Each structure stands twice: as C-alpha cells, then as structure tokens.
Amino acid sequence: MVNHQDETRTAYDGVVELYASLFANRLETQPFSRTMIGTFAELVRATGNPRAADVGCGPGHLTAMLHELGLDAFGLDLAPGMIDHARQAHPALRFQEARMESLPIEDAALGGVLAHYSMIHTPPGELPELLAEQARVLAPDGLLLVSFFGTDEQEPVRFDHKVAPAYSWPADRLAELLADTGLVPFARLLHPASERGFLDAHLLARRS
C-alpha cells in the first residue's frame, strides 16, 4: 500500500529540475525567510556547536546558505532525485537520503536543525513524531527553525500543494507541539504569503 511518504517522494523526484530552478536565487526575493535563517545561523554559532542538519533539503540551496553563514551544515531528504541534484550542485557539502521520522544522527549531536517547509506534507497525526525526532538529535540549547504555511483557523487545513497534498497550521498549535517535545519556542514571524492566501510562518525553538 502506497503511503503519503512514498507519494511525496515520487512527486518531488518528478520535479527536481523545475523545483531547483525556482529556488536558485536562494531566498533573494524572500526577505523574511532570509532574515529568520540568518538569525538561526547566528544563534547556532553562539552555542559553540556549528553542526546543523537541513532536514528536507531538496536541491540543497539552503544547506549551502547555512554553510556560507558559518555552519557545518549537511542535507537530508526523502527524495533520491533531490539528493542527487544537491550532490552535483554542491559537491563540497554532504547530502544523504533519509526519512524524517528516523534521522541518521546520534542523540544530542547537533547545534541546529532547519526544517524549511519540509514537514508541510505530513498529516497532522504524524507530525509529533517528526518533531520529537528533531528534538532528539539536538544538543541542549540547540536550535530548531521550522517554517510552514500558517493559518488563522483553529485546526490544520489540508490544501492542494503544487507538488503533493499539504497542510497549513495555526502557529499556536504548532508551538504547543514543539513544547510537548521538550523544545521551548521563543520567537515567531508570520507574514502574508504571496499566492495561496495562507501565512508564511517561522518558529524558532530551543532544546531545554
């Protein structure tokens, strides 16, 4: 039986070159996302542990950005086509195929985890498991930056994303899920998205 992860992997493998070309500017037209990632990188460096995972790295554009911001960054993604592209585009960096619910990383190893719109396809009932896995790999005081589509509704809203079905989340609800994993949300940024009528949302949390 095909599950949503298999469907998502196949869908993204089918749009690798198009997806990579759309994000080739690496957030040059997205100042809010760029600011949050820069803040994340600065705070991770301040922990003294620059190891950071770009979880759901896609074609590797943000992994490279984190590297340029001074982090020992590596990328993980479900889709082998994305990993192949990332390795060719950024041969000096490390990329590995992996599932988000079972990251190939030891406990408390990282200073940071970036999850940039990489959990939007996860059904709400499965999201706590993914957040707990990201908390597991963070060292004490390590940082997690989650970016996602936000909504003013009280519950997550399923919508037809261009690649695969996705969900938007109330920021307060997602912050509660982060807190349930032992992470402490301490900063958020929400602003209108350009096309879908949702909010672009970013939450920063620290491992307690």
Side-chain angles (χ1 to χ4, degrees):
M1 182 177 181
V2 177
N3 61 28
H4 77 91
Q5 290 188 345
D6 296 329
E7 293 174 343
T8 299
R9 180 178 60 243
T10 299
Y12 274 95
D13 270 345
V15 296
V16 171
E17 297 304 323
L18 174 61
Y19 191 89
S21 68
L22 289 174
F23 293 99
N25 64 10
R26 293 193 305 179
L27 306 184
E28 290 177 9
T29 61
Q30 299 179 44
F32 294 108
S33 291
R34 194 169 64 245
T35 296
M36 289 299 285
I37 291 174
T39 300
F40 164 78
E42 180 177 348
L43 293 174
V44 172
R45 291 197 307 270
T47 69
N49 180 355
R51 289 189 67 198
D54 179 9
V55 179
C57 65
H61 56 300
L62 296 186
T63 315
M65 184 177 180
L66 293 177
H67 174 73
E68 292 170 3
L69 290 169
L71 299 185
D72 178 14
F74 60 96
L76 304 171
D77 201 276
L78 177 69
M82 289 291 183
I83 292 298
D84 288 344
H85 185 283
R87 287 171 174 165
Q88 293 177 33
H90 310 285
L93 301 180
R94 292 167 290 139
F95 297 95
Q96 182 177 347
E97 186 179 345
R99 290 180 175 266
M100 296 180 72
E101 75 276 10
S102 55
L103 299 175
I105 304 167
E106 59 271 27
D107 293 352
L110 303 183
V113 172
L114 175 67
H116 189 77
Y117 294 92
S118 56
M119 295 186 287
I120 62 172
H121 303 294
T122 303
E126 298 180 21
L127 192 60
E129 180 183 5
L130 268 59
L131 295 175
E133 180 69 352
Q134 292 172 41
R136 177 187 68 79
V137 302
L138 282 173
D141 294 326
L143 283 299
L144 169 65
L145 175 57
V146 180
S147 299
F148 57 100
F149 293 110
T151 178
D152 291 326
E153 301 294 331
Q154 298 301 307
E155 299 294 333
V157 176
R158 188 180 186 275
F159 68 96
D160 291 327
H161 185 271
K162 291 179 180 178
V163 180
Y167 299 83
S168 63
W169 275 84
D172 287 342
R173 285 286 308 280
L174 192 51
E176 290 172 0
L177 293 183
L178 290 170
D180 289 342
T181 69
L183 298 170
V184 181
F186 66 93
R188 67 175 66 182
L189 174 62
L190 295 92
H191 58 94
S194 58
E195 15 182 296
R196 296 182 180 87
F198 297 117
L199 299 169
D200 281 330
H202 313 271
L203 283 175
L204 260 173
R206 180 179 284 111
R207 173 78 183 270
S208 59

